[in-house]
C-alpha cells in the first residue's frame, strides 16, 4: 500500500520560496552582481563630479568677460567667442552612457577651454587689466578650477576603465548580459599626458630676465 502524499500547506510553500530566493541570491552574488552595482554607482558619482567642475568653470565666465570688457572693449571678437562657446556648452543635454553625446560634450568643453585661453592671452596686452584685483582673483579661481577638472576627468576615466574591464571578465560578463549592463563610453584624449597635466591659464607672470654676462674690466695699462 502506497503512503499518502504529504500535504504542502502555505507555510511549506513559503519555506521553499525563501530557499529558492536564497539560492538565486547566492548565485547572483557569486557572479559579481553586487560588485557591478558598486562600480556602476562609483562611475555615476565620478561623472557628477566632472559635471560639477565644468559648471563651476562656466559660472566664472560672465564675471571674467565683464571684467575684460571694461578694459579691452576692442577685443570684441575674442569676448564673443568665449560667450558663444559657453552658450553652446549650456545647450548640450549630455548622456554619459551615449558615446555620441559624450563626444559632443567633450568637443564643446574643449572649444570653451580654447576660447578662454585666447582671452587670457589677449589680456597680456593690457597692463591695467592685469593689475586689476578682480581680474587676478578670477584668473586664480579659473586656474584652480582647471586643475579640479583635470583631476575629476582623470578619476572618471579610471572608474569607467575599471567598470568596463570588470563586466567584460568571466563570470561577470554573464551577469552583466542577464541584467542589461553594458560597457560605458569614455573620454578620449589625443595625448595621455593631458589627463595628468591641466592647461596653463596663468599668464600674469613673466619669466624673470636672465642676467647678462658682464664684460671683464679692461686690463691696467703697462
Amino acid at each position: 500500500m502506497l503512503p499518502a502524499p504529504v500535504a504542502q500547506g502555505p507555510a511549506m510553500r513559503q519555506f521553499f520560496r525563501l530557499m529558492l530566493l536564497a539560492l538565486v541570491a547566492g548565485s547572483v552574488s557569486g557572479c559579481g552582481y553586487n560588485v557591478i552595482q558598486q562600480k556602476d554607482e562609483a562611475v555615476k558619482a565620478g561623472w557628477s563630479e566632472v559635471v560639477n567642475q565644468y559648471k563651476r568653470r562656466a559660472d566664472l565666465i560672465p564675471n571674467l568677460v565683464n571684467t575684460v570688457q571694461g578694459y579691452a572693449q576692442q577685443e570684441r571678437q575674442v569676448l564673443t567667442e568665449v560667450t558663444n562657446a559657453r552658450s553652446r556648452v549650456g545647450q548640450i543635454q549630455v548622456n554619459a552612457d551615449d558615446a555620441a553625446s559624450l563626444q559632443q560634450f567633450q568637443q564643446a568643453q574643449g572649444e570653451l577651454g580654447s576660447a578662454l585661453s585666447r582671452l587670457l592671452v589677449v589680456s597680456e596686452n593690457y597692463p591695467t587689466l592685469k593689475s586689476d584685483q578682480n581680474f587676478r582673483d578670477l584668473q586664480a579661481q579659473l586656474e584652480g578650477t582647471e586643475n579640479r577638472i583635470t583631476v575629476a576627468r582623470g578619476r572618471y576615466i579610471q572608474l569607467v576603465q575599471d567598470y568596463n574591464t570588470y563586466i567584460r571578465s568571466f563570470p561577470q560578463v554573464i551577469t552583466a548580459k542577464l541584467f542589461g549592463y553594458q560597457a560605458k563610453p569614455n573620454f578620449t584624449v589625443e595625448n595621455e599626458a593631458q589627463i595628468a597635466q591641466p592647461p596653463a591659464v596663468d599668464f600674469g607672470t613673466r619669466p624673470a630676465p636672465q642676467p647678462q654676462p658682464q664684460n671683464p674690466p679692461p686690463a691696467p695699462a703697462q
Side-chain angles (χ1 to χ4, degrees):
M1 185 175 178
L2 296 174
V6 179
Q8 294 186 359
M12 186 63 69
R13 287 196 294 271
Q14 183 68 15
F15 172 76
F16 282 122
R17 226 179 259 121
L18 291 174
M19 290 292 293
L20 180 60
L21 287 174
L23 181 62
V24 172
S27 300
V28 169
S29 177
C31 290
Y33 177 80
N34 291 339
V35 179
I36 293 176
Q37 289 278 345
Q38 294 169 3
K39 291 183 182 295
D40 185 54
E41 290 300 320
V43 170
K44 291 177 181 177
W47 174 249
S48 296
E49 181 63 17
V50 170
V51 173
N52 180 53
Q53 296 305 331
Y54 274 127
K55 183 180 183 301
R56 177 185 174 89
R57 181 175 71 174
D59 290 342
L60 291 172
I61 290 175
N63 286 338
L64 182 65
V65 169
N66 289 336
T67 301
V68 174
Q69 193 171 15
Y71 291 90
Q73 294 184 3
Q74 60 269 38
E75 304 293 349
R76 186 165 300 175
Q77 180 179 352
V78 179
L79 294 169
T80 301
E81 288 176 357
V82 173
T83 303
N84 290 342
R86 180 182 183 271
S87 177
R88 287 192 294 271
V89 166
Q91 294 171 0
I92 296 176
Q93 300 295 324
V94 60
N95 176 10
D97 292 330
D98 180 75
S101 178
L102 183 61
Q103 183 178 11
Q104 182 186 21
F105 175 80
Q106 181 180 7
Q107 180 178 353
Q109 293 291 355
E111 291 173 354
L112 177 56
S114 298
L116 279 172
S117 295
R118 289 192 294 272
L119 176 63
L120 293 171
V121 169
V122 163
S123 71
E124 280 291 289
N125 300 324
Y126 301 91
T128 308
L129 169 62
K130 292 199 308 177
S131 63
D132 181 86
Q133 186 60 45
N134 187 37
F135 176 76
R136 294 175 69 87
D137 290 344
L138 289 168
Q139 192 178 41
Q141 293 179 53
L142 183 60
E143 182 178 10
T145 301
E146 291 288 0
N147 288 332
R148 283 188 284 269
I149 288 173
T150 300
V151 172
R153 274 175 52 102
R155 182 170 181 272
Y156 180 75
I157 289 172
Q158 292 175 354
L159 288 170
V160 172
Q161 288 175 342
D162 181 57
Y163 169 86
N164 287 344
T165 300
Y166 188 79
I167 68 167
R168 287 168 175 163
S169 302
F170 186 84
Q172 300 88 255
V173 63
I174 300 175
T175 304
K177 289 183 179 300
L178 286 175
F179 290 91
Y181 287 98
Q182 298 178 352
K184 297 179 181 293
N186 209 344
F187 283 116
T188 57
V189 288
E190 295 179 0
N191 184 351
E192 290 294 335
Q194 292 177 4
I195 298 176
Q197 170 135 14
V201 298
D202 186 5
F203 296 94
T205 57
R206 296 177 182 271
Q210 297 295 326
Q212 298 295 326
Q214 297 182 352
N215 293 328
Q222 297 293 333

